[in-house]
Amino acid sequence: MYKTVIFDLDGTLLDTIQDLADAANYVCEQRGWPVHTVNEYKKMVGNGIPKLVERFSPANARQPQQLARTLEAFLMRYSAYMRQKTAPYPGIQELLEQLKKAGVQLAVLSNKQDSLCREVISYYFDLSVFDRVRGALPGVATKPDPAGVHRLMAELSADAPSTLFVGDSDVDILTAKNSGLAGCGVLWGFRDRDELTRAGADHIAQTPSELARIILGTD
């Protein structure tokens, strides 16, 4: 049984891709740039919003000052419309309640800007379910760097053998490995089994109920 679980947010707890894609394509349309499909955006996300902005910007629009302006425009649009199509994945609410009742410490670590991370979590979930919620902070390296994980673990008095990192992408599995933790990939998110396997996932869960069995050691 794992006593502490650190969750990724986008693609793991919440299906946010349509709102992210809509905001990004709005910015692209305003600038006369090509837009992208939702499936294309699934491969662009995972390394934080600044990297997403860089990826959807044309190659000739990636000068630092221009990226800064595009990032500002994206954040304004996304902040205003980020609850239009976003929703928890089926079974996630029940999973969190089950784990909380079992005494598992629950935390969120996202590469999404900290204020946005907290806002979206508080909108869709009861914040009391989580012992810690953390997004990207100035001066703290984002995933897959282990700095954020180690800070959370210290705050939670968690040890590596009893802590599991859960996410939907290679970034999350690499975060687990870099932090000295077991990593579980989930298949309901933005990436596929091949990516998670290649990244070295210790576990792969097809459904939230399967994830519960992995965490509680009831498989």
Side-chain angles (χ1 to χ4, degrees):
M1 173 178 174
Y2 291 100
K3 297 179 181 178
T4 302
V5 179
I6 303 173
F7 289 97
D8 168 54
L9 177 58
D10 298 69
T12 302
L13 297 178
L14 290 174
D15 184 357
T16 57
I17 195 65
Q18 189 67 62
D19 282 334
L20 288 165
D22 286 353
N25 279 339
Y26 174 84
V27 172
C28 291
E29 288 170 351
Q30 292 296 301
R31 285 158 172 73
W33 298 344
V35 297
H36 306 278
T37 67
V38 169
N39 282 335
E40 288 173 326
Y41 281 115
K42 286 182 178 180
K43 297 179 181 179
M44 294 185 197
V45 298
N47 295 97
I49 288 177
K51 182 59 69 172
L52 168 62
V53 168
E54 179 182 333
R55 288 169 176 163
F56 73 64
S57 297
N60 63 355
R62 295 178 181 173
Q63 296 81 10
Q65 288 185 339
Q66 190 164 7
L67 284 174
R69 291 193 297 270
T70 306
L71 174 61
E72 181 180 7
F74 175 85
L75 288 173
M76 287 182 61
R77 182 70 181 185
Y78 182 62
S79 297
Y81 292 94
M82 67 181 184
R83 294 183 293 271
Q84 299 298 302
K85 300 172 183 175
T86 289
Y89 286 100
I92 289 296
Q93 299 275 17
E94 294 81 1
L95 168 70
L96 296 174
E97 292 169 6
Q98 180 183 1
L99 296 178
K100 192 68 175 179
K101 288 179 181 177
V104 179
Q105 291 193 110
L106 305 178
V108 175
L109 181 63
S110 173
N111 279 346
K112 188 190 293 288
Q113 187 181 63
D114 187 64
S115 59
L116 292 177
C117 175
R118 292 174 181 277
E119 184 178 344
V120 75
I121 282 282
S122 64
Y123 185 83
Y124 289 102
F125 300 105
D126 179 355
L127 269 178
S128 67
V129 170
F130 298 102
D131 296 275
R132 292 289 188 281
V133 173
R134 189 70 46 75
L137 292 169
V140 180
T142 55
K143 300 181 296 182
D145 189 281
V149 172
H150 289 160
R151 285 180 60 157
L152 279 179
M153 291 178 66
E155 292 172 15
L156 296 169
S157 299
D159 65 339
S162 64
T163 300
L164 180 68
F165 197 97
V166 178
D168 69 307
S169 74
D170 59 347
V171 172
D172 299 306
I173 302 305
L174 291 172
T175 301
K177 291 194 167 300
N178 292 342
S179 305
L181 306 180
C184 181
V186 301
L187 297 180
W188 56 80
F190 303 158
R191 308 290 176 82
D192 58 24
R193 182 184 292 272
D194 287 344
E195 177 175 310
L196 297 169
T197 300
R198 286 196 305 271
D202 298 283
H203 311 279
I204 294 181
Q206 181 81 41
T207 64
S209 59
E210 185 177 350
L211 177 56
R213 294 194 294 271
I214 291 169
I215 293 168
L216 299 175
T218 56
D219 258 346

